[in-house]
Amino acid sequence: MEDIKTPYNSVLSIAGSDSGGCAGIQADIKSISACGAYAATVITATTAQNTLGVTDIHAIPTSHIEKQLDAVLSDIQFGAVKIGMLHSCEVIKIVQEKLAEYKLKNIVLDPVMVTTSGHKLITDDAIECLKNFLPHVNLITPNIPEAELLIDEEINGDNMEEMAKKIAENYKTSVLLKGGHIDADSNDMTDVFYEYSTGKTITITNPRIVTNNTHGTGCSLSSSIAAFLSLGDSIETAIKKGCKYVNKAITDGKYKTLGNGNGPINHFGL
């Protein structure tokens, strides 16, 4: 009797590499794997980075990024795509073209523009190109500083729902607005999800974990959401599961140490 083979539930991560392993492609692979999906990657840039910050960025030539995209997309079927650092208009353009050419679905974009330490990861021109790209994805996951850059308005704990809706309507895509930068003294952390296709707003609340080990949290959340989408969950369910997974990973990493700065979350609960 012939063995029955089943395909992997695969996610493509398009992002930069973090040599310290806390964020970027490395965090994506860990999150996607921990959530039960298979991770493939297209690397847009490499960084010289550790727990203390980024000291250098090396952009991968656009022609090589295109070849990476063609290599994986022509061979592997993906249930979802996670997009992280796209550092130039040329990179954004080729990613947008290839995603359309291969008819990718469930595209989750984490609008990475600056690091937690304030190191810029994207050019000013690329910010405008990124804004033009947003209507072509299914979900964006900005934190408060990124969202304020997208909407050019101040966001606080009282207007998160209003601003999530405004961003979604401006860019014609669903939005998960992450509230980690708001009210650091609160015992809870609130994220707001606005679903563009239905106009539905959901507030997600998790316990706030006091720790410095949060390097790569945004990468891990967006990639975990993509993993759950590839497994067949609805966007609402995938977001709730992703938030729960990351909150647990932060909790599990609270008493771990790595390096001398901001450490990673504990992706596998080890």
Side-chain angles (χ1 to χ4, degrees), residues 91-109:
V91 173
I92 293 168
K93 181 180 178 182
I94 193 62
V95 169
Q96 182 175 340
E97 288 176 355
K98 290 301 176 182
L99 294 182
E101 178 183 342
Y102 288 96
K103 298 179 173 58
L104 273 297
K105 61 182 181 179
N106 292 326
I107 302 169
V108 180
L109 187 145

Side-chain angles (χ1 to χ4, degrees), residues 10-103:
S10 300
V11 177
L12 174 61
S13 169
I14 305 170
S17 170
D18 171 7
S19 55
C22 297
I25 285 284
Q26 285 81 354
D28 291 348
I29 294 172
K30 293 168 190 173
S31 295
I32 292 165
S33 301
C35 293
Y38 178 87
T41 63
V42 167
I43 298 176
T44 59
T46 60
T47 65
Q49 184 175 173
N50 55 26
T51 64
L52 297 171
V54 178
T55 58
D56 193 38
I57 300 173
H58 173 70
I60 302 297
T62 307
S63 60
H64 185 62
I65 294 174
E66 182 176 10
K67 288 178 181 177
Q68 290 182 74
L69 286 162
D70 280 327
V72 291
L73 293 174
S74 64
D75 182 48
I76 302 170
Q77 295 295 314
F78 292 100
V81 179
K82 176 268 166 82
I83 301 174
M85 188 173 82
L86 304 176
H87 52 274
S88 71
C89 284
E90 291 76 18
V91 173
I92 293 168
K93 181 180 178 182
I94 193 62
V95 169
Q96 182 175 340
E97 288 176 355
K98 290 301 176 182
L99 294 182
E101 178 183 342
Y102 288 96
K103 298 179 173 58

